[in-house]
Every structure is written in structure tokens, then in C-alpha cells.
Amino acid sequence: MQQTFFPSDRVARSLTLSTMAFALSSGVFYTVSALYFTRVIGLGATTVGLGLGIAGGVGVLAAYTAGWLSDRVGAHHVQAWATGLNGLAMLAYTFASDAVVFTLVACLAIGMRSASGSSKQAMLARWYTGPERVEVRARMRVVTNVFIGLGTVAAAAALLVDTPAAYRTAMLAVGVLLLLAALPLARLGRQVPELAARMVQHAATEQPTDEQGPQRGSSPWRDRRYVAAVACNSVVAMHFGLQTVGVPLWVATTEAPTAMVAVLLVLNTVVVASLQVRASRGTHDVRHAGVTVRRASWLLAAACVLYALAGYGNLAAACALLVVAALAHSLGEILGEAGGWGMAFELADPQHAGAYQGLSQTGYAVASMVAPALVTATAIEHGTVGWLGLAALFVVAGTAAAIVARGRVGKPTAAVVR
């Protein structure tokens, strides 16, 4: 537990401290943002959705650009600046007074959030190797879930007061927390002198590989196997949209009380915090990572079927089915994330870690942008048929991911010298 929340390694410790502040801010933001945008700024729900949709497109572009930039100026610099600018954008929300300003601020905020994610992945890919790399990423996910939960609890104060001043104060707190999250990253280059040299690509160290592997010195978009892996894992990653959008809307249509939404979120947090690190063991092996994603897809498919069945039960049956579905969903989430990290790290060209991790994060950004509309158009609009369609989609994507991973086994990968 100590290694998760206060690791001995200086780089992991700085990343963890930054993640704590970042996740706290996220918990507060997720809780109050919708009410702030509609009640305080005075925007309509459709306007908010449109503005965030435009910003989501900017986030997709920023994810890849930040990865590409990380190879050239250093992932630690990109992450520090992206996190700081994200904080300034959140502070700027308090000055937004119309739809245009709101959309511009949202573009900066979501773009910098995506850039921060790509540069963090690039840092992990360059500084760590093998099982250590995936384990550190898993520990950071545990920290993220725990502190998002704490931020959500803290934001409840604003909901209880329920005044414009309370919501504005909460948004100011989000910005300040993000600025604090940038501090450990800004100092990291001085605290770890050898970090800077490891964070950028060196043309002299690039090695050619066989014709079937990644083309050294080329764009990751030309690495067909990596693109396929990103596509498969991005589809599996749409379970996040299922959890944040689909499940709350679906619970409202069942006999279960709406309070079950909170119960399911708490269950998810407990499962991730308890099992994410264990689920990630061994996923530095590409074949095992692919199998892990496939298992995740079957669990997610089972969760979809159980969610659908909850719509047919009475209060007790609906609640029981929702809990079992959420358990399967949470287990699928941790396995899908673990396998996805392993494939994203191990299938990448290590000499171009930033560009490759940027492409991986671009896939996740696309998934987060598409998932809400897809989930509502299937499960929410068409009920059981829609849920079964989502289940089939998860299974196909997970099976394809395992096939992609199996095709990589036995092919040489350039080593990273520490």
C-alpha cells in the first residue's frame, strides 16, 4: 500500500503526488460542472453538450500532438505545462459568461487534459521497462480512483449549499488543485538529473527492425499492428462511457431506486482499488496482455446482459442484478485497462515512445467522445436489443485484440537500456 500512495522511486513519487491532486480536482469537477455550466453560467443543456463535443474533438488532436511533442522536448516538460494550462483553463471557467467563451475554455481544458494523459504515458514508457512499467501504471490508477472518490465527497458541500457562490468556489478549487498537480512535475527535472536525457528520442540510437515489426523512425500510423491494437482497445475502453452515461440512465428505467447509481460507483471504486495492481501482473507479456483484454471483453459482455435483465425484475431482483452486473463490469474494466496498457507499451517502438503513446491515448480520446452517443443510441434507446449489440461489440473487439497480440509474439522488439 505504501508503494502505491508514497513510492520510494523519485519519478513514481512525483507522478503519484501529481495524480493525487489531479484526481481530487477531477472528482470535484465531475460532481459540480454540469450544475455550474447550467445554473451559474446559464447555458442550456444542448449548448453544453455541443461545446463539450467540439472540445472533445480538440482533445483527440491534442492527445497525438502531445505524444509527438514529448519525443522532442521531453514528456516531463509537456506534462507539467499541460497540467498547469489545464488548471488555468479551469480558473477561466469562472469568467465564462456565454456559449462562445465557454466553448473556447472547454477546448483548452479538454485539450490540455488529453495532452497530460499522453505525456504521462510517454514518461512511463521511457523511464520504466517490463513488468515495472505496467505495475506503476496500475498503482497510479488505484490512486486516481481513490482520490476521485475523495474529491466527489468534498464536492458534496457545494451541492448541499447549492448557491452560485458555492459552485464558483468549487470550480476555483478545481483550478488550484490542477496548478498544485503541476508542481511535482515542474521540479522533477532538477530532482532527477538523468531524466531529461531519457525523455527525448535520440536518432543515433535508433535501430532498424525486421520488415514485420514497427518501422524505426517512422510514424506509428504506419505500424499496422499497433494501429489495430489501438483500435481494438479503444472499443473495449468504451465501457467508461457505459458506466458514466449508460448505467445511470438505465437504472432510472428499472424498478431499482436511483440511489443504486451511487452504490454501483462505490462498488467500482472498491474493486479497482483492491484488484487493479494484481490484475496487471504479467501483462508486460504481449500474448498475456491480449488474452487479458479478451477476458475483459467477455466480462463486459456478461455485464451488458445482466444490465438488460435488470430491466425485467422487481425492486429486489433489479438491485441484485445491477450489483452483479456492476461487479462483472468492474472486473472487465480492470482487466481491460491492464491488458490495454501492456499492449500499448510492449507493441510500441521504444525509440518513439511519445508518438506511440500519443496514438494510444488518441484512441482513448475517440472512445470517450463516441461512447456516450453510442450507448444512448443502443442500450438506452432500444433496451435489451441494444444491450446485446454492445455485448457483441465488446466480444468482437476483445477477440480481435487477442489475435493482434498473438501475431506479435516472437518478433524482435528494440530494447531500452537503463
Side-chain angles (χ1 to χ4, degrees), residues 307-404:
Y307 284 133
L309 291 175
Y312 296 96
N314 57 23
L315 188 149
C319 289
L321 285 167
L322 286 171
V323 168
V324 178
L327 180 60
H329 191 157
S330 299
L331 292 173
E333 174 185 334
I334 61 175
L335 289 176
E337 288 294 281
W341 297 330
M343 293 181 70
F345 286 137
E346 300 303 326
L347 288 174
D349 176 358
Q351 300 300 335
H352 299 272
Y356 272 76
Q357 300 312 313
L359 178 56
S360 174
Q361 293 302 298
T362 299
Y364 280 95
V366 171
S368 66
M369 184 173 64
V370 171
L374 178 65
V375 170
T376 49
T378 53
I380 306 305
E381 291 292 330
H382 299 286
T384 300
V385 174
W387 282 112
L388 293 178
L390 286 176
L393 182 64
F394 284 131
V395 170
V396 169
T399 302
I403 293 172
V404 170

Side-chain angles (χ1 to χ4, degrees), residues 5-390:
F5 292 95
F6 197 74
S8 55
D9 175 67
R10 172 66 70 177
V11 174
R13 189 185 311 164
S14 295
L15 285 170
T16 300
L17 290 173
S18 177
T19 299
M20 288 176 177
F22 194 100
L24 270 176
S25 73
S26 297
V28 176
F29 180 76
Y30 294 152
T31 304
V32 305
S33 58
L35 294 174
Y36 178 80
F37 296 149
T38 54
R39 294 188 182 180
V40 180
I41 300 180
L43 302 175
T46 302
T47 301
V48 172
L50 178 61
L52 294 179
I54 294 171
V58 173
V60 171
L61 296 175
Y64 182 74
T65 302
W68 177 86
L69 193 61
S70 294
D71 283 334
R72 285 149 181 82
V73 302
H76 59 308
H77 290 313
V78 175
Q79 194 184 1
W81 277 100
T83 304
L85 289 172
N86 193 3
L88 293 177
M90 290 297 175
L91 294 176
Y93 270 132
T94 61
F95 299 100
S97 57
D98 56 48
V100 174
V101 177
F102 161 75
T103 302
L104 291 174
V105 173
C107 286
L108 178 61
I110 293 179
M112 290 303 99
R113 185 180 184 89
S114 294
S116 176
S118 293
S119 54
K120 179 184 290 186
Q121 287 289 108
M123 282 188 68
L124 295 173
R126 288 193 176 278
W127 188 251
Y128 299 101
T129 58
E132 185 183 24
R133 183 162 52 190
V134 180
E135 181 177 340
V136 171
R137 183 65 183 86
R139 292 186 184 281
M140 288 172 58
R141 174 146 176 75
V142 171
V143 171
T144 296
N145 268 45
V146 170
F147 277 80
I148 284 179
L150 294 175
T152 301
V153 171
L159 300 180
L160 290 173
V161 176
D162 196 26
T163 63
Y167 292 125
R168 189 171 284 109
T169 300
M171 292 298 291
L172 288 171
V174 171
V176 171
L177 283 168
L178 283 168
L179 292 177
L180 291 174
L183 292 180
L185 304 171
R187 299 196 303 263
L188 191 55
R190 294 190 297 272
Q191 295 171 338
V192 185
E194 64 271 27
L195 181 71
R198 291 271 297 282
M199 288 297 111
V200 296
Q201 70 182 51
H202 299 283
T205 65
E206 294 178 4
Q207 300 290 332
T209 186
D210 65 275
E211 60 184 12
Q212 294 176 305
Q215 299 180 27
R216 303 305 186 214
S218 67
S219 164
W221 291 99
R222 296 176 61 188
D223 185 345
R224 289 177 295 178
R225 180 166 281 109
Y226 197 82
V227 172
V230 169
C232 295
N233 284 294
S234 296
V235 173
V236 175
M238 285 197 290
H239 66 77
F240 287 115
L242 185 68
Q243 182 180 71
T244 58
V245 177
V247 171
L249 292 175
W250 182 251
V251 169
T253 69
T254 70
E255 294 296 322
T258 54
M260 279 299 297
V261 174
V263 174
L264 302 182
L265 288 175
V266 170
L267 175 61
N268 175 265
T269 299
V270 171
V271 171
V272 172
S274 303
L275 301 176
Q276 183 67 79
V277 175
R278 183 180 302 176
S280 302
R281 291 171 185 164
T283 56
H284 64 283
D285 175 80
V286 176
R287 181 187 289 271
H288 182 67
V291 171
T292 301
V293 174
R294 185 176 63 199
R295 290 171 179 166
S297 71
W298 280 100
L299 283 165
L300 293 170
C304 288
V305 173
L306 290 166
Y307 284 133
L309 291 175
Y312 296 96
N314 57 23
L315 188 149
C319 289
L321 285 167
L322 286 171
V323 168
V324 178
L327 180 60
H329 191 157
S330 299
L331 292 173
E333 174 185 334
I334 61 175
L335 289 176
E337 288 294 281
W341 297 330
M343 293 181 70
F345 286 137
E346 300 303 326
L347 288 174
D349 176 358
Q351 300 300 335
H352 299 272
Y356 272 76
Q357 300 312 313
L359 178 56
S360 174
Q361 293 302 298
T362 299
Y364 280 95
V366 171
S368 66
M369 184 173 64
V370 171
L374 178 65
V375 170
T376 49
T378 53
I380 306 305
E381 291 292 330
H382 299 286
T384 300
V385 174
W387 282 112
L388 293 178
L390 286 176

